[in-house]
Each structure stands twice: as structure tokens, then as C-alpha cells.
Amino acid sequence: MKQIVVVGGGAAGLMAAGTAAEQGARVALLEKNPKVGRKLAITGKGRCNVTNNCDVQQVLANVPTNPRFLYSALNGFPPSAAMAFFEREGVPLKTERGGRVFPVSDRALDIVDALYRWVRRAGVTIENAEAEELLAEGGRISGVRAAGKHFPADAVVLATGGASYPLTGSTGDGYRFAKALGHTVVPPRPSLAPLVAAGDACAAMMGLSLKNVQLTVFEDGKRLFTDFGEMLFTHFGLSGPLVLSASAHMRHFGSKHYRVEIDLKPALDEKTLDKRLLSDFAAHQNQDFINALGGLLPRKMIPVVVEQSGIDPRCKVHSVTKKERAALLRTLKAFSVEVTGARPIVEAIVTAGGIAVKEVSPKTMESKRLPGLFFAGELLDMDAYTGGFNLQIAWATGRLAGLSAAL
């Protein structure tokens, strides 16, 4: 019976371990946390965006880094297979906006529990032990040293995750192990991360959450990305689901200039919004301009919008000119924020960069440098946009690694 050690009890590691065990291998899963699936349990605000209800081509279109590498893995285990797997394991699923798939219960723990029951039923032994070193003999993998013990192996699946959310155990160990065995690591960087803004405008609105706004990203003046959703102003800049989605498209901080524009009233075209302004102005015509926007904007945002519009906050509303009103209209439809970078990788949802895929077989997930060593999940140099695509990559690469390791 083939002996396999899987390092990492996250999404990819659990899928690899259960799959290998179902093929008849003896599998030990090493997880340094007391429980498996710790990061999985907090994804999607605790709801877990399991996958995206789409075809393989659409998944690949949402992977900006090395999509072709995933072709075999995704065709072997597409979103439809991932959905069928969780339904079969007792987790009813639902599809929401943009094809995002969630448990009907909205509980990420239901996904973790289903995976745990499955791997235990398949015969996987779960060891609460932190891997310290991968061992090789005679030009191939031979085992893992963890918690002072030696775990012999015919194959090892490395699925330790990236470097984001280190408190969940993703501390970049896998990069160290892979480097020690001769693999190239593309420097990790944050993806799906909050954004740092220039100036102090965002800090002045700290804690303010906006819903149903449209955000557009410009790279060197060219429109790069646009979407609707929810966002948050923070002491450093911008966060929230809409901003995290946008950040994945902003990949060249340092060499490119980024600006975001927020349409605060996307449901109103300019003509309709101008009528609304005229109506509000008529009701407050003898008041100071800064006191006339309470029906249109959250209180915290008013001074910042007034400043960006260039209108004197203490001028009377009846004296606001048509040109000034047009400037206010532009500000409401395209509130501008200069973005200087992303927050550190420890605050990112996903890590970009990782094990260079040219050194890994796309048909098996096996190392081209060391036979018997397999990779799965976020550890590899690939990442996707939001919408369940990153977890789909974890399921597909984990499945392929587990199957290949057990052969």
C-alpha cells in the first residue's frame, strides 16, 4: 500500500488527502493547527464562496497568472464536479450574483465539517504536527520530519497555502521547503488586499461603509476594471468586497499609476441627479452650501465631497453657480481617490506568486525536479479574481495531486 504524506490541512490539502485515500493509499495529513480548515472556516465572511457556477473557460478567464497551467486540473475536476462533491457530502448549495456558490446554510463550517468527515471516512490519519523539513533520498522524496518525528512517504503533497492570513497557519513554510529542494519561488505578493490611498480624505471618513456604489480603476489613465458593490473607508484608504475585487487587477504598483473613481449615485444618470441637486438646493437656498447635502450623502462624507468639488463650504446655496453645480455633479459621479499601493501580504485574502509552475507538471502536479513531490493550492504561482475561483483552483489541484500521488 502506497504511503502518502500531505502537508497542510486547508482546502487543497484536505482534497488531496481524501482523494489519495480513496485510491487505496495510506495517507497521513499533517496540520499544525489543532483543527483542519482554519482559513476555510473564515472565507467569504464565514459563508465560504465554495466555487463559481460556470464552465472551465470562464474559470480560466478569471485567472490572471498562469491560467494554462490549470487546464488539466480544471477539466478533471470542474466547478460542476466540486458542486456535486459537496452536495453528495451533505452540504446543499446555492448560486448567487456572479455565479458565486455558497452553502444554503451560509456556514463555512459546514464545508469544513463535510471535508473532515469525508477524509476520516476515507481512512486519512490526521496528525496535529508542524512539518519541519521534507526529506529526500536517492533523488526522490522519502518523507517528512514533523514535531521531531519521521513520517516516511512514497509521495508527499505540499499544500501549505500562501503567506496571507498567517494566523490561520499560512506562514510561507511551503516556500522554504520547496526552495531547500531546488525549486524556484516567485516572490509572494498580496492579491485581493485592501488599498492604501494618498492624502487624508479616506482617514477623515474612516468607518464609513458605502453600499451599491460603482467603483472604476484607472491604470495610467486607462479604464482597467469596474464593478458594483460594497466598500469601506479606513484609516489607511479603502477596503470591503468591491475594493478587494478591484485590487486583484492592480498588479504593477511602483511602475504604474492607479486611481479609483467611485460613482456615489450609480442608479441616477447625470441629468436625473442634476434635477435632484436643484430640488435639494431649492429647499436649502438660504443655508450654507455644506449644510445642504444631508439628504444626498452620509454626514462623514459631506466635508470631503465639498472639498473635492472646489465649492466654498460657507457660500450660500442660492449663490452656487451652474459651473459649480456641474463640478459637484462630477464629484458625486466620479469621486476620485489616488491609490499608492496594497496593504501588506498578511492582510491579503490571497497570495500571488509562489512555486514556479514551469517546474511542476500540469498533468500530475508533480515536481519536475524531485520525483514523488506534489504541489497543490495557493502555494503555486497562480491566483484568481474573487467569485469562488481561488477555492476552485484549490479543489482541482488538490484532487489532481491526490490522484497522481496515489498512482
Side-chain angles (χ1 to χ4, degrees), residues 321-360:
T321 66
K322 187 177 181 181
K323 186 178 179 182
E324 287 174 328
R325 196 176 78 246
L328 174 61
L329 191 63
R330 277 197 306 276
T331 304
L332 293 171
K333 295 295 286 181
F335 182 82
S336 184
V337 178
E338 299 290 324
V339 176
T340 58
R343 290 290 283 178
I345 200 165
V346 296
E347 295 179 35
I349 291 177
V350 171
T351 306
I355 309 298
V357 298
K358 66 178 185 292
E359 299 170 359
V360 181

Side-chain angles (χ1 to χ4, degrees), residues 113-169:
D113 291 345
L115 286 164
Y116 177 77
R117 289 192 303 268
W118 173 63
V119 298
R120 293 311 304 263
R121 196 169 66 244
V124 174
T125 302
I126 298 175
E127 299 274 355
N128 182 205
E130 182 169 355
E132 294 154 1
E133 184 185 11
L134 301 191
L135 307 171
E137 277 180 30
R140 68 172 293 117
I141 203 82
S142 63
V144 180
R145 188 166 58 81
K149 291 168 64 179
H150 176 224
F151 293 85
D154 300 301
V156 171
V157 179
L158 200 54
T160 52
S164 53
Y165 280 113
L167 291 177
T168 65

Side-chain angles (χ1 to χ4, degrees), residues 197-198 201-202 205 216 218 233 238 257-264 301 304-305 308 330-339:
C202 291
M205 298 182 285
T216 303
F218 292 89
F233 291 103
L238 306 170
H257 172 256
Y258 292 98
R259 186 181 88 257
V260 302
E261 287 185 358
I262 305 160
D263 185 345
L264 300 168
M301 198 168 198
V304 184
V305 167
Q308 199 169 115
R330 277 197 306 276
T331 304
L332 293 171
K333 295 295 286 181
F335 182 82
S336 184
V337 178
E338 299 290 324
V339 176

Side-chain angles (χ1 to χ4, degrees), residues 177-209:
F177 298 147
K179 269 185 181 176
L181 295 172
H183 273 276
T184 305
V185 176
V186 177
R189 64 185 189 280
S191 180
L192 306 186
L195 297 172
V196 179
D200 54 10
C202 291
M205 298 182 285
M206 181 174 67
L208 175 62
S209 177

Side-chain angles (χ1 to χ4, degrees), residues 221-374:
K222 293 181 181 176
R223 186 190 296 259
L224 180 66
F225 166 85
T226 188
D227 200 5
F228 293 86
E230 186 177 338
M231 58 165 292
L232 173 73
F233 291 103
T234 71
H235 65 285
F236 56 76
L238 306 170
S239 191
L242 185 55
V243 171
L244 297 177
S245 295
S247 73
H249 299 259
M250 303 161 81
R251 310 181 79 83
H252 304 289
F253 288 116
S255 60
K256 305 265 188 183
H257 172 256
Y258 292 98
R259 186 181 88 257
V260 302
E261 287 185 358
I262 305 160
D263 185 345
L264 300 168
K265 301 292 175 183
L268 304 178
D269 61 27
E270 289 198 11
K271 191 174 180 182
T272 308
L273 183 55
D274 194 33
K275 283 182 181 175
R276 167 72 190 273
L277 284 177
L278 287 169
S279 172
D280 283 14
F281 281 12
H284 299 89
Q285 58 181 325
N286 295 316
Q287 294 181 21
D288 289 352
F289 170 61
I290 198 166
N291 296 325
L293 301 175
L296 201 64
L297 293 168
R299 183 178 53 82
K300 264 190 177 181
M301 198 168 198
I302 292 171
V304 184
V305 167
V306 168
E307 185 178 353
Q308 199 169 115
S309 75
I311 303 170
D312 179 357
R314 293 300 165 193
C315 78
K316 297 301 179 187
V317 171
H318 63 74
S319 67
V320 173
T321 66
K322 187 177 181 181
K323 186 178 179 182
E324 287 174 328
R325 196 176 78 246
L328 174 61
L329 191 63
R330 277 197 306 276
T331 304
L332 293 171
K333 295 295 286 181
F335 182 82
S336 184
V337 178
E338 299 290 324
V339 176
T340 58
R343 290 290 283 178
I345 200 165
V346 296
E347 295 179 35
I349 291 177
V350 171
T351 306
I355 309 298
V357 298
K358 66 178 185 292
E359 299 170 359
V360 181
S361 166
K363 293 190 174 178
T364 61
M365 296 293 130
E366 186 173 19
S367 165
K368 293 179 180 178
R369 294 185 176 269
L370 189 67
L373 175 61
F374 296 80

